[in-house]
Amino acid sequence: MNKKILFTVTLLLITVLMVAQKPQKLSSNEIYEKIQKLNFLGTALYIAAHPDDENTRLIAYLANHVKARTGYLSLTRGDGGQNLIGTEIRELLGVIRTQELLAARRVDGGEQFFSRANDFGYSKHPDETLEIWDKDKVLSDVVWAIRTLKPDVIINRFDHRTPGTTHGHHTSSALLSMQAFDLANDKNKYKNQLKHTTTWQPQRLFFNTSWWFYGSQEKFKKATKGNPKFGVLNTGNYYPLKGVSNNEIATEASSQHLCQGFGRLTERGSQKEYVEFLKGDKPKDKNNLFSGINTTWNRIEKGGEVGAILYEIENNFDFKNPSKHLPKLMEAYAKIKKLKNNHWRVIKEQQIKEIIEACAGLYLEASAASATATPNSKISVSFEALNRSNTTIKLVSISTILDKKTFKKEFDLSFNKKYTFKETIHLNTDQFTDPYWLKKDASLGMYRVDNQLLIGKPETPRSAKIDFNLLINNVAITIRKNVVRRYSERDKGEIYEPFEVVPQITTKLQNKVLVFSDDTAQKVMVTVRSGANNVTGNVHLDVPKEWNVTPAKHSFDIEQKNDKQTVVFTVTPPKNQSEGKLKVVAMANGKTYNKELIEINYNHIPKQTVLLNSEAKIVRLNIKKAGKYIGYIQGAGDVIPNNLRQIGYKVDNVDVLTINNENLHKYDAVVLGIRAYNVVKELKFKQKYLLDYVKKGGNMVVQYNTNRNVDVAAPYPLQLSRDRVTDEHAEVVILNSEHSVLNYPNKITQNDFKGWVQERGLYFPDSWSKEYTPVFSMHDKGETSKKGSLLIAKYGKGNYIYTGLSFFRELPAGVSGAYKLFVNLLSVGK
């Protein structure tokens, strides 16, 4: 295997560690468990379609009970989902869900991988999915994951034989896995990959089945009873060294998917997982996925010599004084470095380094003075080195990866004596640390990543790294650390953040969609942020030729790094309806800057820095409004209030707790945000006031809620379902063209459904009482008509409206027809 292959495997290993988390501080129990894992040479790969599809019980079981290296390949990053914790959707939601997957893997012990597939939204059939995805590219990514991870066992989360019965992405993940199982060992397929890796044939492929796939417990028992293809794994194991069970680990892992509402109570007790053998070498013991596979050190040439040392350490581990094993660990480390099997050598070298570092109580850190810096700048880095064992350890030097400099130190690290020093590091790079899959424009179905060595990684590899070159018992060993930013705040304590390389200048528009309801000019604010000290330049707006901007440009002069300066442009739309893009362009030091820096900061994931194009969609609408004062009750999070303000509405964000019998009647309409009844627990206690508001003449618009144990408490019977129309181009049939909602104050026609994004709508009601009037009919290909997308009922003097149309996607995307229809909903009865 050449150096490129070694480089690939090394980079894949780096993905195991989260760059922004606090450093590992392992207890004796955890060190022992890592030694057990070091002595298991077997790999499993779990494959599904989205974040939160993975079975954390089985991943945790394989990683913690079996001790296998366990990867999860999620074909997408979940960009097409909804967000329960904030307003981020699409690309930014994908960043959050990527980090939630990494958080889950830190809990259950697995590793995380991806393909380039873009989660374009719900799909009802794999034919549609694979048509929108570039099937061959996604298949190549699955093959690449198999060739680089080299799993003995592959497990599919979904059934490849039942297309159309579940999400099309789900079935596609299983179909592609079935094909990749055979193609990964074909040297004539995806030949370019073989510049960096080798072919590989997994031993066997399973389907992680359950009664759910059969429709009932009875059908499942009938299908599996006495069938030799089905194995049973007891994943309810209790781990005394951890003090928790496998189920508790699994539920904590799945609870990391907070933006999808997966927070839950931990579980305990016996739990069975079922696997169906699909292809490959059938195991003799159907209840042991690795049955018949050599997972000992004898698997590889001269591995037995390493095993002889490491098995003895495992069998006689000293929990009180792990450092006593350092001489033997260093002996094993030296032998591992000489192994001819490059794949296992790199994996096991990294694993044993972590064990050596922990046994020695070594603390090694490189902390930058700031969390960000610009390319080719110099940064001050504080170093800390500490040996908390009696073993002889010497810090010989430190080496910087970016500028390839070595600083000699020659420190004897005495027992528990902290050594600190500072150095200046040159960031010899022109690459930013933003998510690599967002650097180029994506298609509907695929992210564009041209660098083969990046494909599959959960996040962008950090460029600012430090090698601590040590001698432990006179054996040379290098431990690599990412540069981080460590600091403290009085109300939060110690904080670790990733070190980011960012542009010298970024700009930000207040809104990503600028809607003009008439030809009146609007003020557009642009905030310029500096990534360095003393930056001067100018900024201007690029707009379509029929639009006007004054002034032509603004200058800026920012003295301090991270400071901001806001400038204001006046944008005048054309007389007639028009839409296009407004782009912000900044110039500084002869360079052009056109990116916005977005920071995502939630407690359960590390802080994220994302660079997106600094631009907005601009829309000139011919739109009329009736009423002007709107009360908005936020649900799971959306930006519709801002969209409504842009077209001239005054919008209050209503605190549910303050709702009473009087304070709603000042509003021309009250709108409930998406999934409000799902996430706002207090809403059910305020429903009587909302209905009283309608009864006395108010207009209430309820946007979609999921049908999971929710009662929207509508004035008349209404049953939510999972009905949805995923094709954003699906024909919309107007059921009653004379209805006021289609005529006042704006005329709505089928043309207003052009240009919709991702979907028509979701979670439509499928039954309702005669008091409701359905307005539209629509359906996906091959399905019956769905009439529950928009229902209107007269209640007292007012109107109750329920809609599953995806306004929360369409308004932020600047879809003209969606704005007109939403305004009409607000105007019903006016």
Side-chain angles (χ1 to χ4, degrees):
M1 188 181 289
N2 59 31
K3 290 183 178 179
K4 288 182 178 178
I5 297 173
L6 179 60
F7 180 62
T8 301
V9 178
T10 304
L11 287 180
L12 286 169
L13 277 169
I14 292 169
T15 65
V16 182
L17 301 177
M18 185 56 218
V19 299
Q21 70 185 62
K22 292 184 177 181
Q24 291 189 89
K25 299 173 184 177
L26 303 178
S27 67
S28 291
N29 288 354
E30 291 168 322
I31 294 171
Y32 176 71
E33 289 180 310
K34 282 190 175 290
I35 291 171
Q36 290 180 307
K37 202 172 186 73
L38 179 66
N39 283 335
F40 189 93
L41 279 71
T43 305
L45 177 61
Y46 199 89
I47 298 179
H50 310 103
D52 74 38
D53 281 347
E54 79 275 22
N55 184 341
T56 53
R57 289 188 299 272
L58 192 47
I59 290 176
Y61 171 84
L62 291 167
N64 296 281
H65 178 74
V66 179
K67 306 299 181 184
R69 186 187 183 203
T70 307
Y72 173 43
L73 173 60
S74 175
L75 296 191
T76 77
R77 296 176 185 266
D79 323 67
Q82 291 86 49
N83 184 359
L84 287 180
I85 62 174
T87 60
E88 298 90 351
I89 57 174
R90 291 303 307 155
E91 295 91 347
L92 297 180
L93 178 59
V95 172
I96 293 173
R97 297 189 73 181
T98 293
Q99 291 302 318
E100 288 183 338
L101 269 178
L102 286 167
R105 297 295 80 77
R106 290 196 293 274
V107 173
D108 61 31
E111 302 176 35
Q112 189 58 52
F113 304 94
F114 291 95
S115 83
R116 289 169 290 177
N118 190 345
D119 179 4
F120 56 84
Y122 194 88
S123 174
K124 294 181 177 178
H125 200 280
D127 289 349
E128 178 196 36
T129 298
L130 297 174
E131 183 179 340
I132 295 175
W133 288 350
D134 186 323
K135 178 185 175 181
D136 189 63
K137 286 183 179 177
V138 182
L139 178 59
S140 77
D141 291 354
V142 181
V143 169
W144 171 252
I146 294 172
R147 286 174 172 174
T148 51
L149 191 63
K150 301 193 183 317
D152 303 294
V153 172
I154 295 177
I155 307 161
N156 291 343
R157 180 59 173 139
F158 299 104
D159 192 348
H160 66 285
R161 298 160 295 198
T162 55
T165 60
T166 182
H167 199 319
H169 297 182
H170 293 169
T171 310
S172 295
S173 70
L175 288 168
L176 294 172
S177 175
M178 290 287 289
Q179 294 179 49
F181 182 89
D182 298 320
L183 295 178
N185 200 36
D186 186 345
K187 64 181 181 181
N188 295 314
K189 294 297 292 184
Y190 308 117
K191 292 181 181 180
N192 287 338
Q193 295 181 4
L194 300 180
K195 298 175 184 176
H196 311 288
T197 189
T198 59
T199 58
W200 180 254
Q201 182 56 62
Q203 292 286 314
R204 53 191 66 136
L205 176 65
F206 297 93
F207 164 42
N208 180 198
T209 188
S210 70
W211 70 263
W212 185 88
F213 292 96
Y214 287 77
S216 69
Q217 295 277 9
E218 291 72 24
K219 290 180 180 179
F220 183 62
K221 288 179 181 179
K222 184 178 179 180
T224 58
K225 187 175 181 180
N227 191 328
K229 287 188 174 183
F230 290 86
V232 184
L233 309 173
N234 186 352
T235 59
N237 310 76
Y238 176 70
Y239 303 124
L241 290 175
K242 298 179 183 293
V244 294
S245 67
N246 191 78
N247 287 341
E248 289 172 291
I249 294 171
T251 49
E252 183 183 346
S254 64
S255 288
Q256 303 306 307
H257 298 293
L258 293 183
C259 75
Q260 301 304 296
F262 268 62
R264 60 191 65 184
L265 290 171
T266 54
E267 298 176 359
R268 287 156 290 278
S270 179
Q271 175 74 46
K272 292 181 179 179
E273 286 294 331
Y274 295 86
V275 289
E276 178 187 357
F277 173 75
L278 296 179
K279 64 166 63 175
D281 176 23
K282 190 174 182 181
K284 292 181 180 179
D285 179 356
K286 66 179 183 178
N287 300 325
N288 179 357
L289 300 184
F290 287 90
S291 175
I293 299 173
N294 186 354
T295 58
T296 71
W297 277 102
N298 289 321
R299 174 175 189 156
I300 57 178
E301 184 180 349
K302 293 194 174 181
E305 297 177 15
V306 179
I309 300 170
L310 294 178
Y311 291 134
E312 182 181 353
I313 294 175
E314 180 181 344
N315 292 333
N316 299 283
F317 185 72
D318 190 331
F319 287 87
K320 291 184 178 179
N321 181 24
S323 65
K324 90 172 203 181
H325 300 294
L326 281 169
K328 286 294 185 180
L329 285 168
M330 295 308 299
E331 183 182 342
Y333 168 73
K335 289 182 178 294
I336 288 173
K337 285 182 67 68
K338 294 178 182 179
L339 291 174
K340 292 181 180 179
N341 186 306
N342 289 289
H343 175 72
W344 283 113
R345 187 186 74 237
V346 174
I347 293 170
K348 296 305 176 183
E349 184 178 338
Q350 179 66 28
Q351 289 179 348
I352 198 170
K353 279 183 180 181
E354 293 174 5
I355 293 168
I356 290 168
E357 187 178 356
C359 284
L362 263 176
Y363 186 85
L364 303 171
E365 179 183 276
S367 177
S370 172
T372 64
T374 57
N376 297 306
S377 63
K378 293 183 178 180
I379 61 170
S380 175
V381 179
S382 297
F383 294 87
E384 180 178 335
L386 176 64
N387 168 25
R388 289 169 286 192
S389 72
N390 290 313
T391 301
T392 301
I393 300 178
K394 183 175 185 178
L395 175 60
V396 178
S397 62
I398 59 168
S399 302
T400 61
I401 305 305
L402 280 175
D403 56 1
K404 296 179 172 58
K405 285 187 177 180
T406 297
F407 301 88
K408 290 188 176 180
K409 294 303 170 187
E410 303 292 342
F411 292 158
D412 289 323
L413 300 180
S414 304
F415 171 71
N416 213 27
K417 181 180 179 181
K418 182 171 70 174
Y419 292 83
T420 60
F421 52 93
K422 290 186 178 181
E423 298 291 351
T424 299
I425 306 300
H426 179 215
L427 292 180
N428 185 23
T429 179
D430 59 358
Q431 297 298 310
F432 305 126
T433 51
D434 57 314
Y436 70 88
W437 64 95
L438 299 179
K439 289 180 181 287
K440 296 181 178 180
D441 290 341
S443 68
L444 175 63
M446 294 294 295
Y447 284 113
R448 181 181 169 187
V449 182
D450 298 327
N451 183 349
Q452 183 66 54
L453 295 177
L454 286 176
I455 293 172
K457 297 187 182 305
E459 54 189 352
T460 302
R462 300 287 152 168
S463 53
K465 299 177 183 295
I466 301 294
D467 280 346
F468 288 81
N469 303 308
L470 306 160
L471 285 176
I472 300 180
N473 279 359
N474 291 317
V475 177
I477 184 171
T478 295
I479 297 177
R480 179 168 292 183
K481 297 291 182 181
N482 290 298
V483 175
V484 297
R485 165 66 171 149
R486 181 171 71 98
Y487 64 101
S488 67
E489 291 186 0
R490 289 181 179 272
D491 59 340
K492 295 180 180 178
E494 186 176 61
I495 299 171
Y496 281 80
E497 288 184 356
F499 176 75
E500 307 282 9
V501 181
V502 300
Q504 191 176 68
I505 289 294
T506 54
T507 58
K508 179 180 178 63
L509 288 160
Q510 192 172 27
N511 296 296
K512 300 302 287 182
V513 175
L514 302 170
V515 181
F516 296 73
S517 58
D518 53 34
D519 60 1
T520 304
Q522 290 187 22
K523 301 294 184 183
V524 174
M525 290 190 297
V526 176
T527 300
V528 183
R529 174 175 175 168
S530 175
N533 293 329
N534 301 313
V535 179
T536 61
N538 61 74
V539 60
H540 70 272
L541 303 182
D542 282 345
V543 294
K545 62 181 181 179
E546 64 268 24
W547 296 67
N548 289 315
V549 178
T550 56
K553 63 182 178 181
H554 277 291
S555 61
F556 57 82
D557 186 349
I558 306 176
E559 293 184 2
Q560 291 185 318
K561 176 181 177 180
N562 292 330
D563 199 4
K564 301 172 184 178
Q565 182 176 329
T566 299
V567 297
V568 180
F569 293 92
T570 299
V571 177
T572 305
K575 294 289 185 183
N576 299 316
Q577 191 157 314
S578 172
E579 60 182 60
K581 280 189 177 180
L582 177 150
K583 299 180 180 181
V584 183
V585 181
M587 302 290 295
N589 300 321
K591 293 184 178 181
T592 300
Y593 298 92
N594 59 5
K595 296 293 183 181
E596 174 189 356
L597 187 148
I598 301 166
E599 294 179 335
I600 301 173
N601 204 356
Y602 291 101
N603 290 334
H604 66 302
I605 59 174
K607 182 179 179 180
Q608 298 298 298
T609 300
V610 184
L611 296 174
L612 296 179
N613 291 334
S614 185
E615 62 185 27
K617 185 175 182 179
I618 48 176
V619 181
R620 162 70 169 95
L621 284 175
N622 289 318
I623 192 169
K624 300 175 184 177
K625 303 187 297 295
K628 59 182 181 180
Y629 199 11
I630 308 299
Y632 202 95
I633 300 172
Q634 282 283 4
D638 60 62
V639 294
I640 288 180
N642 290 336
N643 300 138
L644 297 179
R645 293 183 184 108
Q646 283 192 10
I647 57 174
Y649 284 104
K650 180 181 178 182
V651 183
D652 285 349
N653 286 320
V654 178
D655 182 352
V656 171
L657 295 177
T658 66
I659 293 175
N660 57 40
N661 201 36
E662 300 296 331
N663 61 2
L664 294 179
H665 297 289
K666 60 187 174 182
Y667 298 119
D668 294 302
V670 172
V671 182
L672 275 66
I674 60 172
R675 301 174 77 166
Y677 289 100
N678 293 120
V679 300
V680 184
K681 297 176 182 178
E682 297 81 7
L683 196 54
K684 62 183 178 181
F685 303 117
K686 302 294 184 176
Q687 186 68 11
K688 58 184 178 182
Y689 302 124
L690 289 166
L691 291 181
D692 183 66
Y693 161 77
V694 177
K695 196 171 186 177
K696 292 178 179 179
N699 193 16
M700 178 173 164
V701 180
V702 180
Q703 297 180 82
Y704 96 93
N705 289 263
T706 68
N707 63 343
R708 297 175 183 173
N709 301 316
V710 65
D711 178 9
V712 297
Y716 309 113
L718 178 151
Q719 181 65 48
L720 301 183
S721 75
R722 296 184 66 85
D723 285 353
R724 62 175 76 207
V725 176
T726 63
D727 182 0
E728 63 270 34
H729 307 294
E731 181 185 5
V732 176
V733 177
I734 295 174
L735 298 176
N736 181 2
S737 60
E738 301 303 316
H739 197 287
S740 63
V741 77
L742 301 175
N743 292 280
Y744 183 81
N746 304 286
K747 179 67 175 177
I748 302 298
T749 69
Q750 287 181 329
N751 286 334
D752 291 305
F753 288 92
K754 292 181 178 178
W756 283 50
V757 299
Q758 187 159 326
E759 63 203 356
R760 290 295 189 201
L762 61 170
Y763 292 101
F764 298 163
D766 62 354
S767 66
W768 50 86
S769 67
K770 60 182 177 58
E771 287 83 3
Y772 294 97
T773 299
V775 179
F776 302 117
S777 173
M778 59 189 73
H779 63 88
D780 283 320
K781 183 180 179 180
E783 294 191 354
T784 58
S785 294
K786 307 290 187 294
K787 297 181 179 181
S789 64
L790 177 60
L791 302 175
I792 302 177
K794 193 74 177 175
Y795 182 65
K797 297 179 180 179
N799 295 277
Y800 177 91
I801 301 169
Y802 189 92
T803 179
L805 294 171
S806 59
F807 289 108
F808 74 102
R809 296 194 191 281
E810 311 313 321
L811 299 193
V815 177
S816 302
Y819 272 91
K820 290 170 62 180
L821 179 57
F822 203 87
V823 166
N824 281 18
L825 297 183
L826 300 177
S827 307
V828 169
K830 300 293 188 293

